Amino acid sequence: PTSRSPTPTVRERSGDVGNQRGRATRDRILAAGDRCFEEHGLNLTLEEVADAAGTTRMTVHRHTGGREQLVTHLVLRASNRLATDLRVILDAPGPPGDRLTAALAHTVLAIRGTPALARLFTGGDVAGPWSELDPDERVLATIRHFYRPYLLDIEAAGALRADVAADEAVAWLLAQVLLVLVVPSVAVDPDDVTRFFAHLAVPAVLRAGP
């Protein structure tokens, strides 16, 4: 006799429908959250998200875990969209210094161009703002983990300075990104941002050319 999958029970079928409905509701809430985040930034409320999603505050809370968790998740979603663009830049052919410069400049300009993300850095203390802006360091960890493999590749290729480890290079470069974001006068326009990374930040971690 041939074997066949057992016929799903009524409870299993209703569970599948419930899971699909739950995922659809969560997706609708997150999409509404993205819109509210762009409009209100860190000041968004669950009520605003609920209105935009056509649901209730309680439903938003149940699917997201609360306002703080939702805000962090929306920041990470925005960061992941930025990461998609950065992969294209960093995976392109060309000297590592040029690719790093382009990616770091794009990071700054994309964040400046996204009001909700830019608000994370408004009024920060450049000496140590991350504990205030991102207490759990989830955003910082996302950026650090994104850049780290690329710096490890550069280190393995012998293009990193001999006295600088990949993790040190990542920390340094992210500190420069933070500097430009918190103190915009350091590099005001896009050309200034590119020059800052091309002539100051990136050369500090790369081995000098012949």
Side-chain angles (χ1 to χ4, degrees):
T2 59
S3 61
R4 60 180 181 179
S5 300
T7 302
T9 65
V10 171
R11 177 176 294 179
E12 289 171 336
R13 288 196 297 270
S14 64
D16 289 341
V17 171
N19 289 338
Q20 291 172 3
R21 186 179 297 120
R23 286 193 294 269
T25 299
R26 178 175 168 79
D27 289 344
R28 190 172 76 253
I29 288 170
L30 291 177
D34 284 334
R35 297 193 298 273
C36 292
F37 187 53
E38 281 300 309
E39 184 175 352
H40 303 288
L42 302 179
N43 296 319
L44 68 80
T45 66
L46 294 187
E47 288 81 2
E48 290 163 346
V49 175
D51 288 344
T55 187
T56 66
R57 182 187 188 282
M58 183 177 297
T59 300
V60 173
H61 191 285
R62 186 172 68 249
H63 281 274
T64 63
R67 198 193 81 85
E68 296 305 318
Q69 291 89 334
L70 174 59
V71 168
T72 299
H73 190 69
L74 293 173
V75 170
L76 293 175
R77 277 164 65 89
S79 300
N80 288 334
R81 289 192 289 271
L82 170 61
T84 299
D85 295 336
L86 294 178
R87 285 191 185 94
V88 174
I89 296 171
L90 288 167
D91 290 338
D98 292 350
R99 290 184 284 121
L100 271 180
T101 293
L104 292 164
H106 184 78
T107 299
V108 168
L109 297 173
I111 290 174
R112 283 183 177 178
T114 306
L117 288 180
R119 289 189 187 99
L120 282 172
F121 306 94
T122 302
D125 175 9
V126 71
W130 277 110
S131 60
E132 301 170 14
L133 300 173
D134 183 22
D136 298 325
E137 291 199 348
R138 279 176 285 187
V139 176
L140 180 60
T142 298
I143 300 173
R144 182 190 298 121
H145 292 159
F146 176 82
Y147 273 102
R148 187 172 183 270
Y150 291 99
L151 269 298
L152 286 171
D153 287 345
I154 292 172
E155 182 180 44
L160 209 60
R161 271 177 42 180
D163 60 337
V164 176
D167 285 335
E168 293 174 318
V170 172
W172 161 260
L173 293 173
L174 293 187
Q176 307 317 300
V177 168
L178 195 57
L179 171 64
V180 176
L181 288 169
V182 174
V183 188
S185 58
V186 169
V188 177
D189 60 36
D191 289 341
D192 290 338
V193 173
T194 298
R195 281 194 295 269
F196 175 84
F197 288 108
H199 300 304
L200 296 175
V202 172
V205 300
L206 295 185
R207 186 185 299 274

